[in-house]
Amino acid sequence: MSQASTFKALLVEEQNDKTFTKRIVQRSVNDLPDNDLLIQVHYSSLNYKDAMSASGNKRISQNFPHTPGIDAAGIVVSDKSGTFEAGQHVLVFGYDLGMNTPGGLGQMISIPATWAVACPKTLTLKEAMTYGTGGLTAALCIQKLEKMGAKPSDGPVAVTGATGGVGSISIALLKQLGYEVVAFSGKPEQSDKLKELGASEVLHRDVILDVKDLPIGKTKWAHGIDTLGGDYLTGLLKQLKAGGGVASVGLASSPEIAMNVIPFITRGVSLLGVDSVFIPLEDKKHIWQRVATDMKLPNLDSYQQEISLLETPEYLERFFKGQVVGRYVVNVQDA
């Protein structure tokens, strides 16, 4: 495909007073790093990490001006490595994209060819970004539980942060695979929506904290997917059935956990870490194939809200206001 010399992108800039601004600007392809693979981005999606980068969080992005966007789905313009052909549909998530390398909230990206995978033929670019990092993380959590031996007959699976990107897709995927799901959220007004996604029961997340001061609690859930961390993660572990596991993928509440080892040595429960950033490329290809087959959800449009690139500054702010519900897919070409 032909290469445009300029493109539009979200640019985060640091001001003299150490504040950060977000605006859509025209950029040159020459502003991009000199990598092998040049991609015209059609869709991206919004994640909490994007919001942190866009707010100027130096733990996420050290150098500004910067274009966030840890997800990208687009069409190959050129590839000096010969890995991909011009016109091929590809997906990128993880590695350094959108952190210190210009990301998917720009209409063009330049990356190492080893960061991309071919888009499965049974997924459109928009469908792939309906999953995005959040959905892929949800799929990886379920796969990690499966590797531990989890199966639907074990009993209910607890999902925290249920209205967020990882939580909402986790509920839908678990339901499709035959699991019973108990959703935990601090937004009781979203209960009907969570049940539509597949939750059999919706509870306030603070129910998990009933055992906060106890060494162990009564068994309630077979397994769990946790996006909150902190006392919520320890509460889940204390109330797991024997042999159960929790896949830990978030720290929306806290990155710290403080607990005793009693649940681990009396019930044999497991704490399972899930990485969606630096996993090997072959593992990324495998999970995308699962998302395109047994984990492909029907009516994918119902799990996302499409927004334009122009709307991204406003929607990124929602992550810090507790206003995020489901997945936001960015039509990057709509600018």
Side-chain angles (χ1 to χ4, degrees):
M1 62 184 296
S2 61
Q3 176 179 331
S5 60
T6 63
F7 63 95
K8 291 181 179 179
L10 173 69
L11 194 68
V12 180
E13 298 171 287
E14 186 172 9
Q15 305 303 306
N16 291 334
D17 62 358
K18 303 301 180 182
T19 60
F20 292 83
T21 59
K22 299 184 284 290
R23 61 193 180 104
I24 307 300
V25 302
Q26 195 83 15
R27 304 212 75 189
S28 168
V29 171
N30 293 331
D31 295 331
L32 295 173
D34 183 19
N35 288 314
D36 286 338
L37 184 58
L38 185 64
I39 300 169
Q40 182 188 68
V41 180
H42 284 242
Y43 290 96
S44 184
S45 67
L46 299 188
N47 302 277
Y48 189 72
K49 189 176 286 187
D50 299 320
M52 289 193 290
S53 174
S55 71
N57 189 314
K58 295 292 182 76
R59 292 176 299 168
I60 304 299
S61 301
Q62 285 78 45
N63 301 309
F64 294 87
H66 174 62
T67 295
I70 62 173
D71 294 334
I75 300 176
V76 173
V77 176
S78 61
D79 181 8
K80 290 182 286 188
S81 76
T83 306
F84 299 98
E85 297 180 357
Q88 190 169 355
H89 288 203
V90 293
L91 309 175
V92 189
F93 75 105
Y95 302 109
D96 192 50
L97 184 73
M99 298 178 69
N100 294 293
T101 300
L105 296 180
Q107 294 175 333
M108 301 285 282
I109 58 173
S110 176
I111 61 168
T114 54
W115 289 7
V117 298
C119 182
K121 295 187 183 302
T122 54
L123 285 178
T124 66
L125 294 176
K126 182 179 178 181
E127 286 175 335
M129 285 300 101
T130 299
Y131 291 96
T133 292
L136 264 290
T137 301
L140 287 166
C141 286
I142 295 170
Q143 183 170 266
K144 195 69 172 277
L145 290 170
E146 289 174 341
K147 287 182 178 179
M148 190 201 69
K151 52 190 182 300
S153 59
D154 293 343
V157 179
V159 177
T160 67
T163 61
V166 176
S168 59
I169 299 296
S170 292
I171 292 169
L173 290 176
L174 285 165
K175 174 67 175 178
Q176 177 161 301
L177 295 171
Y179 290 86
E180 179 186 351
V181 184
V182 179
F184 290 89
S185 173
K187 302 170 184 172
E189 70 276 8
Q190 296 294 328
S191 292
D192 289 344
K193 175 67 174 178
L194 294 173
K195 289 181 178 178
E196 288 175 11
L197 289 174
S200 61
E201 187 177 11
V202 180
L203 300 174
H204 195 283
R205 64 185 184 184
D206 287 350
V207 170
I208 301 170
L209 303 181
D210 288 347
V211 296
K212 181 178 179 181
D213 298 322
L214 300 175
I216 198 167
K218 294 181 179 178
T219 58
K220 294 183 178 180
W221 311 291
H223 307 289
I225 294 175
D226 177 64
T227 67
L228 301 178
D231 291 337
Y232 295 99
L233 175 55
T234 60
L236 283 180
L237 289 164
K238 290 177 183 179
Q239 297 173 86
L240 281 188
K241 295 180 179 179
V246 175
S248 170
V249 291
L251 42 73
S253 173
S254 171
E256 308 291 336
I257 58 171
M259 66 180 296
N260 61 74
V261 300
I262 292 175
F264 299 101
I265 62 177
T266 63
R267 292 181 182 160
V269 304
S270 298
L271 174 58
L272 309 170
V274 176
D275 165 42
S276 63
V277 178
F278 294 108
I279 62 173
L281 194 63
E282 286 304 313
D283 291 345
K284 290 188 177 184
K285 291 178 181 177
H286 174 74
I287 198 65
W288 271 115
Q289 287 302 322
R290 287 204 64 186
V291 164
T293 53
D294 67 310
M295 286 188 176
K296 185 175 183 182
L297 296 168
N299 305 315
L300 269 170
D301 266 353
S302 65
Y303 297 95
Q304 59 83 32
Q305 177 183 343
E306 182 177 322
I307 64 174
S308 68
L309 183 62
L310 292 171
E311 294 176 288
T312 53
E314 170 199 346
Y315 276 80
L316 285 165
E317 291 298 321
R318 296 189 178 197
F319 284 84
F320 301 118
K321 298 176 181 178
Q323 298 173 344
V324 173
V325 177
R327 300 280 297 147
Y328 299 124
V329 173
V330 184
N331 184 338
V332 181
Q333 294 298 313
D334 184 5

